[in-house]
Amino acid sequence: MMLRRHLCKVLCIGLTLLIVYNLLLVVYTKMTLQKLILGGVQKELHFPLSEWNETVIKKLSHLELELQHLQENMKLAMKQQENVDKTLKRMRDEQPVQKAVEAKASETKKHRPREKLFPDSPLFKQWGEDLSEAQQKRAQDLFQKFGYNVYLSNLLPLNRSIPDTRHSRCLQKTYSSQLPSLSVVLIFTNEALSIIQRAITSIINRTPSQLLKEIILVDDFSSNEELKANLDELIKLYNQKYPGLLKIVRHTKRQGLAQARNTGRETATAEVVAILDAHIEVNAGWAEPILARIQEDHTVIVSPVFDKINFDTFELEKYGLAVDGFNWELWCRYDSLPKAWIDLNDVTAPVKSPSIMGILAANRLFLGKIGSVDGGMLVYGGENVELSLRVWQCGGRIEVLPCSRIAHIERHHKPYALDLTPAMKRNALRVAEIWMDEYKYMVYLAWNIPLQKVYYHLTGELYVGSLIAEANAEDCCLTDPGSGENPTLEPCSKAAQHGLHIYWDFKPGRALINRATKRCLELKKASSYYMPVLRPCTTQVWTIQHTIGNWGSN
Ligand code: UDP
Ligand code: MN
């Protein structure tokens, strides 16, 4: 359209100029002829009449030629315009077709979304709608390998921003300008490179540079290729920008996360050491509360507050403040805030905590002095409780700092072990044996390891466990469910209320017989252990190790 208008304009101006020129020439010729006729012309003419005629004729023929050119040009222009029109018309005609094709495609997309290749995969529950088949395959492969969405991680900026989850009162806190220096340790085995890089980036961007002495990577014998030469190259690049900031230590065999944490502490040189998982992003202002609190009291082992990064969408979910506790399996859990802290009415105040979750910060020398983390804890689990018992029994204390927040990916599965139970059980028993004296039996019981640590009450109940369980826990009574060979444990009050078979006849050195069902509790050999079963009595007998007199009187 623009071209057409432009062409018309040029032609009009050209024609107008020629007509004006022609008219002027005609008027000029007419006037001159009149003057000639009137005879006063000679004086006014600078050239003889014959010459003048020649000039006029030349000019007229020139004009004729130009008009011819103009006509031809116009014809040509008209033809070109015709072509332009035709093209435009074709485009206009084709547009609805194109639109229809597009509409059809989007309609198809709307009504028939791309086929889900892995409909049961947790990765695709709320993510990955628009991925092609090849992309779905790639994302699923990475997910299985790492337990989180590496496909997405590789697309997200390393310096992405995350919501500041601190309480607004934390923002009003001020800290000394003379805080201790900080070494940050990131431990990993086979984590995705982009995940580690994002952790490093968050630490660099969200820790005051004058306080951050170094970032130490501890590679617990990863096999991933990208964590070898590529990571070394990256470290070089980081160090070009931030001289001496990054260090890497590599285990030459898999030693488990407890020993990886120890290696990190041993390599660190700053006054305070923060030992973190590699799949984290530290949040704004995370370091200052830690450094200030440890400066105030070097025996405090600190835990930040975690927020959850979803393993599939990488969105951040804010977690409420809680203390880090554990159950009799020595497995961590969140417990409610102590009344003493609530009474302080200061949401920024440190919270006394029984345990840590894993991630911790401490005065480097104090942590070393109390023996650091038990390097004999294998693979995973229990090491946090071990450290906690050590801290509380060796003159330290543990606190959660509400104003220090770290976002942590809760993965869907652990890539380094299919079944963590054997390691967790083994580690828990190690902790129990080392630190828990007679309470260790509770840990054995929790892991369902037969002790026959059982109390037979003269009224006939068999209490299982030491009757000193967690707060609010109820004593359990051994019960014959009436069918099947497995006895069950039922809360005693409930069992009594519902008339379950909880009463047993027993004399030391005799069989143990359920009063209602007349079945015997006996031990049956399984593959590598014995298990308690209920069955018609054979010849098994039981003894009593200890007798407690005056039960309940004190
Ligand atoms: N890790 C390690 N060696 C191991 C197992 C784990 O270095 O044998 C690292 C792992 O890469 C992670 C940290 O230890 O950075 C904590 O492990 P994970 O995140 O699986 O534990 P969770 O956070 O689920 O308790
Ligand atoms: Mn973790």
Side-chain angles (χ1 to χ4, degrees):
M1 284 307 280
M2 284 297 287
L3 179 73
R4 187 184 197 170
R5 247 183 259 146
H6 197 68
L7 208 69
C8 282
K9 226 176 180 175
V10 170
L11 286 173
C12 289
I13 293 170
L15 262 175
T16 317
L17 282 175
L18 270 170
I19 289 164
V20 169
Y21 179 64
N22 197 5
L23 278 174
L24 281 175
L25 207 68
V26 169
V27 170
Y28 179 73
T29 313
K30 203 178 161 189
M31 277 168 56
T32 319
L33 281 173
Q34 267 175 0
K35 277 181 188 166
L36 261 177
I37 291 162
L38 290 172
V41 182
Q42 271 325 54
K43 277 177 248 164
E44 284 191 60
L45 289 173
H46 301 291
F47 43 84
L49 189 61
S50 58
E51 242 178 78
W52 185 84
N53 273 344
E54 228 173 90
T55 315
V56 171
I57 286 161
K58 250 189 206 164
K59 286 211 165 158
L60 281 173
S61 57
H62 186 71
L63 186 67
E64 197 180 0
L65 252 175
E66 286 205 338
L67 277 169
Q68 258 175 23
H69 276 157
L70 193 64
Q71 201 182 4
E72 278 164 21
N73 280 344
M74 276 186 78
K75 268 190 198 156
L76 192 72
M78 301 267 280
K79 205 158 185 92
Q80 279 175 351
Q81 187 60 48
E82 242 169 57
N83 286 343
V84 171
D85 282 349
K86 269 188 199 156
T87 316
L88 284 173
K89 185 174 179 312
R90 204 172 54 237
M91 280 166 71
R92 266 200 304 273
D93 291 347
E94 280 172 6
Q95 235 171 21
V97 178
Q98 178 68 18
K99 280 224 175 100
V101 170
E102 277 168 18
K104 182 122 191 141
S106 79
E107 202 177 292
T108 319
K109 209 164 122 190
K110 226 183 274 166
H111 295 301
R112 200 155 49 85
R114 283 181 197 260
E115 201 184 327
K116 274 196 176 186
L117 288 187
F118 309 98
D120 298 329
S121 168
L123 179 64
F124 295 102
K125 286 260 140 60
Q126 42 176 344
W127 176 84
E129 280 267 305
D130 295 328
L131 261 56
S132 70
E133 292 200 353
Q135 289 167 329
Q136 288 182 53
K137 275 186 195 148
R138 175 100 187 103
Q140 174 67 9
D141 277 357
L142 287 167
F143 169 62
Q144 273 177 333
K145 190 168 164 197
F146 291 97
Y148 44 65
N149 193 347
V150 179
Y151 184 91
L152 177 60
S153 169
N154 292 347
L155 296 173
L156 291 175
L158 295 178
N159 64 348
R160 73 167 182 153
S161 46
I162 50 175
D164 185 345
T165 50
R166 288 174 296 175
H167 192 282
S168 57
R169 278 208 238 152
C170 293
L171 308 183
Q172 292 155 14
K173 292 222 90 143
T174 52
Y175 299 95
S176 151
S177 55
Q178 299 296 312
L179 290 173
S181 61
L182 175 67
S183 299
V184 182
V185 174
L186 294 175
I187 61 164
F188 61 88
T189 192
N190 289 336
E191 304 275 352
L193 185 57
S194 63
I195 291 284
I196 299 176
Q197 276 182 274
R198 190 167 296 107
I200 296 173
T201 309
S202 74
I203 293 161
I204 293 175
N205 290 347
R206 300 193 183 118
T207 314
S209 55
Q210 74 279 9
L211 302 177
L212 181 62
K213 189 169 183 194
E214 59 199 356
I215 299 175
I216 297 162
L217 306 181
V218 180
D219 175 5
D220 188 22
F221 199 51
S222 298
S223 50
N224 278 3
E225 276 311 309
E226 67 169 2
L227 296 180
K228 293 177 182 170
N230 281 3
L231 182 55
D232 286 340
E233 267 314 302
L234 275 173
I235 290 171
K236 267 192 214 152
L237 290 177
Y238 279 116
N239 283 335
Q240 272 168 21
K241 197 163 175 204
Y242 310 100
L245 187 67
L246 259 95
K247 295 175 182 148
I248 184 157
V249 192
R250 294 186 192 272
H251 285 172
T252 49
K253 65 176 178 51
R254 177 73 46 82
Q255 297 192 37
L257 64 87
Q259 192 48 42
R261 289 192 173 127
N262 278 340
T263 303
R265 194 204 64 83
E266 284 156 19
T267 313
T269 58
E271 198 176 328
V272 172
V273 58
I275 308 176
L276 317 177
D277 288 9
H279 42 242
I280 52 97
E281 286 160 73
V282 297
N283 214 326
W286 76 288
E288 292 89 331
I290 292 177
L291 296 172
R293 184 65 188 119
I294 293 172
Q295 184 176 49
E296 213 168 57
D297 181 347
H298 75 285
T299 69
V300 180
I301 309 294
V302 159
S303 172
V305 183
F306 297 105
D307 289 309
K308 172 183 174 183
I309 301 175
N310 290 325
F311 69 84
D312 49 352
T313 61
F314 274 60
E315 278 159 12
L316 195 127
E317 210 174 284
K318 181 179 168 168
Y319 271 167
L321 184 61
V323 299
D324 303 339
F326 52 88
N327 59 17
W328 284 112
E329 286 176 338
L330 306 192
W331 182 242
C332 51
R333 67 179 201 182
Y334 287 119
D335 279 332
S336 48
L337 295 160
K339 187 172 177 306
W341 182 84
I342 295 168
D343 290 345
L344 282 178
N345 204 17
D346 176 4
V347 288
T348 70
V351 194
K352 192 169 143 187
S353 176
S355 181
I356 54 161
M357 281 286 161
I359 283 173
L360 74 132
N363 173 292
R364 179 173 58 86
L365 295 179
F366 179 74
L367 184 59
K369 197 167 133 195
I370 62 169
S372 205
V373 186
D374 176 3
M377 306 294 282
L378 300 182
V379 190
Y380 172 90
E383 84 297 333
N384 55 331
V385 177
E386 194 282 330
L387 178 65
S388 307
L389 295 174
R390 180 196 299 271
V391 169
W392 282 110
Q393 292 180 64
C394 295
R397 52 190 288 116
I398 296 175
E399 289 174 1
V400 176
L401 298 187
C403 293
S404 173
R405 304 197 71 116
I406 292 187
H408 166 258
I409 301 179
E410 285 185 18
R411 15 179 174 212
H412 175 263
H413 54 268
K414 309 270 183 219
Y416 45 82
L418 280 179
D419 181 8
L420 288 167
T421 318
M424 283 163 60
K425 188 196 271 188
R426 180 251 179 220
N427 288 347
L429 298 183
R430 181 179 166 98
V431 179
E433 288 293 342
I434 294 172
W435 293 108
M436 298 180 75
D437 301 331
E438 72 273 21
Y439 290 91
K440 70 182 181 186
Y441 297 115
M442 295 307 289
V443 181
Y444 277 84
L445 272 172
W447 281 103
N448 204 22
I449 293 166
L451 295 169
Q452 308 307 15
K453 187 84 174 161
V454 173
Y455 293 78
Y456 179 65
H457 204 263
L458 283 180
T459 51
E461 299 96 330
L462 276 166
Y463 292 94
V464 176
S466 321
L467 313 179
I468 43 166
E470 304 155 31
N472 306 324
E474 252 202 281
D475 295 332
C476 282
C477 278
L478 194 80
T479 310
D480 182 345
S483 60
E485 64 172 13
N486 296 325
T488 57
L489 284 176
E490 307 290 350
C492 297
S493 59
K494 179 191 142 201
Q497 219 177 340
H498 291 85
L500 304 181
H501 313 317
I502 58 169
Y503 298 103
W504 305 79
D505 285 324
F506 175 63
K507 290 262 170 350
R510 303 267 187 86
L512 190 54
I513 308 166
N514 188 281
R515 267 184 213 166
T517 66
K518 306 293 175 209
R519 297 202 295 176
C520 271
L521 181 77
E522 300 196 344
L523 284 187
K524 181 174 133 180
K525 194 171 183 339
S527 54
S528 58
Y529 55 91
Y530 288 91
M531 57 185 282
V533 291
L534 291 166
R535 63 187 181 191
C537 305
T538 63
T539 55
Q540 284 188 18
V541 294
W542 298 82
T543 56
I544 287 178
Q545 265 177 333
H546 305 285
T547 306
I548 304 169
N550 300 325
W551 176 271
S553 66
N554 50 11

